[in-house]
Amino acid sequence: MTDIEKTIEIEVMRYHPEQDASPVFKTYRIPYASDQSVLQGLQYIKDYIDGTLSFRWSCRMAICGSCGVMINNQPKLSCKTFLRDYYPGKIRVEALQHLPIERDLVIDATDFINKLESIKPYIVPREARSLEQGEYLQTPEQLARYEQFSSCINCMLCYAACPQYGLKPEFTGPGVLALLHRYNADSRDGARADRMQIVNAEEGVWGCTLVGYCSEVCPKQVDPAAAVNRNKVNSTLDYFLRFLMPGGGESG
Amino acid sequence: MSKRRPYVRPMDGWWLKNPYYVRYMSREATSLFVGVYALILLAGMVSLACGETAYNNWLMAMTNPVSIGFHLAALAAAIYHTITWFAVAPKVMPALFLAGKRVPDIAITTTQYAIAVVLYLGLFCMVWRV
Ligand code: SF4
Ligand code: FES
């Protein structure tokens, strides 16, 4: 059989707040091709079967972070996941776990965005430099200390993987804490003391019980579990340094 | 009027819904075995302090098949916990740099196994006086 004649079944979570009390599943049969992504499958449904299906996407190349969904119960980027990995089995697509569903596969990201803004996700220069003084230089080691954490694309797959976030949505959560660490670990940055208040808070790193699934599902190998748990050490040092140095200390 | 009605899914039975969560809960559950084992050991110390008869009674109780069964289960639980702990240790400790390069996670995990092997060999040699 050529790819043209093959088909595959996709079961999709549907939720229309105007008419549904809770989400329901609908199954669609679409043409199969080995080079098709699950996102393309959803687009086929929208274009040829049911135009009311809602889902997010933009870049189609795993960099914008908007196409995250649950595929067979695992958080994945739908543009980076292929029909061939499931064929001839069935594919089940749901909205990202632990996040409120707005409609079909579209989740409400407000909470994530607010948390993201709260951590000052930008470099606050440690020392002011004028243009004439040139750029801020870093050694390869200084770069290596934060580089992996700067690859985050804010896709929220790690939130869909984190049961602690599902149980306690106040928890700052893996992705945002990883990004916080990215700036705190940067030798050019000077806002560490401010960000440590978020790290130390009840909703900060101590909300994590090291389930570790976040790092498993991250499509960019950010390893948010490492960022969160290394900051438990930083948070502890911060706590004790406060007694040694009045006014609070800067811990390693 | 807004038609928004964001739906929040319930979390009941969440830890059974993904094999990864089941493994996580098993890791957490191993602490029960370790806790009970520590209590048994404590009881042994107390009986030792109480005198010979008490200590011999405790030793007798330890030869009970139920006790041996529990100790085997606790050993399995402790080994499982150790394996999972060695695997996550590189995430928990501050990033290590040697000569400007990040020490890879696998090197940290392997070193822990190496240290454990050396310590256990030393311990067995001491106990059995080889
Ligand atoms: S840490 Fe990884 S999984 Fe989490 S938002 Fe960033 S890229 Fe996505
Ligand atoms: S569409 Fe941009 S990450 Fe998938």
Side-chain angles (χ1 to χ4, degrees), chain B residues 14-113:
Chain B
W14 62 270
W15 58 279
L16 284 173
K17 288 186 185 148
N18 187 311
Y20 207 95
Y21 297 159
V22 175
R23 285 203 294 279
Y24 157 74
M25 286 306 252
S26 328
R27 183 191 83 200
E28 299 295 286
T30 56
S31 62
L32 294 175
F33 287 92
V34 176
V36 173
Y37 176 73
L39 288 179
I40 293 177
L41 211 58
L42 192 67
M45 306 274 270
V46 171
S47 64
L48 187 63
C50 288
E52 204 179 327
T53 345
Y55 185 61
N56 282 335
N57 285 342
W58 182 78
L59 278 183
M60 272 298 285
M62 288 303 100
T63 56
N64 184 302
V66 176
S67 162
I68 291 177
F70 169 79
H71 279 81
L72 286 177
L75 177 66
I79 291 176
Y80 179 68
H81 188 98
T82 308
I83 293 171
T84 57
W85 178 249
F86 281 5
V88 296
K91 295 190 197 302
V92 178
M93 55 190 276
L96 269 188
F97 281 83
L98 269 186
K101 284 229 164 64
R102 182 79 207 279
V103 179
D105 288 2
I106 182 79
I108 297 174
T109 305
T110 319
T111 310
Q112 295 176 105
Y113 277 107

Side-chain angles (χ1 to χ4, degrees), chain A residues 144 146-152 220-223 226 230, chain B residues 102:
Chain A
Y146 70 84
E147 195 178 19
Q148 104 190 58
F149 305 110
S150 70
S151 310
C152 175
K220 294 290 162 189
Q221 284 77 49
V222 171
D223 202 351
R230 281 184 196 145
Chain B
R102 182 79 207 279

Side-chain angles (χ1 to χ4, degrees), chain A residues 39 56-68 77-80 153 155:
Chain A
L39 174 64
R56 288 198 181 105
W57 59 279
S58 177
C59 70
R60 314 180 316 285
M61 47 192 274
I63 201 63
C64 74
S66 45
C67 70
L77 296 179
S78 61
C79 69
K80 199 179 176 242
I153 58 171
C155 65

Side-chain angles (χ1 to χ4, degrees), chain A residues 15 17 20-23 73 95-102 108 141 145 148 161 163 166 209-213 216 223 226 229-230 233, chain B residues 3-11 14 17-21 24 27-28 85 88 90-97 99-102 105:
Chain A
Y15 172 64
D20 300 332
S22 58
N73 209 21
L96 279 182
Q97 198 58 258
H98 308 143
L99 294 146
I101 307 172
E102 200 67 70
D108 179 6
E141 177 177 335
R145 285 197 179 268
Q148 104 190 58
T209 56
L210 193 41
V211 177
Y213 195 36
E216 204 75 13
D223 202 351
N229 285 282
R230 281 184 196 145
V233 178
Chain B
K3 291 267 202 286
R4 288 190 61 195
R5 203 157 52 78
Y7 183 85
V8 178
R9 283 158 284 184
M11 286 296 285
W14 62 270
K17 288 186 185 148
N18 187 311
Y20 207 95
Y21 297 159
Y24 157 74
R27 183 191 83 200
E28 299 295 286
W85 178 249
V88 296
K91 295 190 197 302
V92 178
M93 55 190 276
L96 269 188
F97 281 83
K101 284 229 164 64
R102 182 79 207 279
D105 288 2

Side-chain angles (χ1 to χ4, degrees), chain A:
Chain A
M1 225 176 6
T2 60
D3 268 3
I4 302 288
E5 296 145 351
K6 290 182 189 164
T7 60
I8 187 166
E9 258 185 355
I10 305 193
E11 198 182 357
V12 185
M13 175 186 267
R14 304 298 309 265
Y15 172 64
H16 284 189
E18 308 91 329
Q19 64 209 40
D20 300 332
S22 58
V24 288
F25 281 90
K26 274 200 187 144
T27 306
Y28 306 91
R29 187 163 276 286
I30 61 160
Y32 167 82
S34 59
D35 61 352
Q36 294 250 353
S37 64
V38 173
L39 174 64
Q40 285 173 299
L42 295 172
Q43 286 169 327
Y44 182 91
I45 299 172
K46 188 167 177 78
D47 290 348
Y48 298 104
I49 309 176
D50 186 347
T52 66
L53 179 63
S54 303
F55 51 94
R56 288 198 181 105
W57 59 279
S58 177
C59 70
R60 314 180 316 285
M61 47 192 274
I63 201 63
C64 74
S66 45
C67 70
V69 286
M70 305 298 292
I71 301 179
N72 289 8
N73 209 21
Q74 290 180 334
K76 297 219 182 248
L77 296 179
S78 61
C79 69
K80 199 179 176 242
T81 311
F82 289 83
L83 298 182
R84 62 169 177 265
D85 298 330
Y86 301 90
Y87 185 83
K90 203 172 168 177
I91 299 178
R92 187 181 166 102
V93 183
E94 291 165 71
L96 279 182
Q97 198 58 258
H98 308 143
L99 294 146
I101 307 172
E102 200 67 70
R103 181 186 183 90
D104 295 340
L105 302 175
V106 176
I107 49 87
D108 179 6
T110 317
D111 178 54
F112 176 79
I113 302 291
N114 288 343
K115 285 172 178 162
L116 195 58
E117 283 179 357
S118 75
I119 60 148
K120 294 195 170 65
Y122 39 82
I123 290 174
V124 181
R126 184 185 280 261
E127 44 157 331
R129 283 166 80 96
S130 65
L131 267 184
E132 296 76 53
Q133 286 172 288
E135 59 274 77
Y136 294 84
L137 296 179
Q138 282 187 314
T139 64
E141 177 177 335
Q142 286 171 329
L143 173 68
R145 285 197 179 268
Y146 70 84
E147 195 178 19
Q148 104 190 58
F149 305 110
S150 70
S151 310
C152 175
I153 58 171
N154 303 337
C155 65
M156 289 175 276
L157 296 196
C158 51
Y159 284 76
C162 177
Q164 294 302 341
Y165 178 70
L167 294 164
K168 225 175 68 175
E170 310 84 76
F171 176 37
T172 310
V176 170
L177 286 169
L179 206 63
L180 180 153
H181 184 64
R182 177 253 172 275
Y183 290 100
N184 271 5
D186 193 315
S187 58
R188 297 164 295 182
D189 183 86
R192 186 193 175 93
D194 284 349
R195 295 197 196 94
M196 280 317 279
Q197 296 188 4
I198 298 175
V199 169
N200 297 338
E202 185 74 29
E203 308 79 41
V205 292
W206 301 104
C208 164
T209 56
L210 193 41
V211 177
Y213 195 36
C214 55
S215 293
E216 204 75 13
V217 304
C218 174
K220 294 290 162 189
Q221 284 77 49
V222 171
D223 202 351
V228 173
N229 285 282
R230 281 184 196 145
N231 275 295
K232 287 179 185 166
V233 178
N234 292 344
S235 176
T236 311
L237 288 175
D238 214 55
Y239 180 76
F240 286 110
L241 286 179
R242 220 171 304 162
F243 295 114
L244 297 178
M245 290 186 267
E250 281 210 6
S251 57

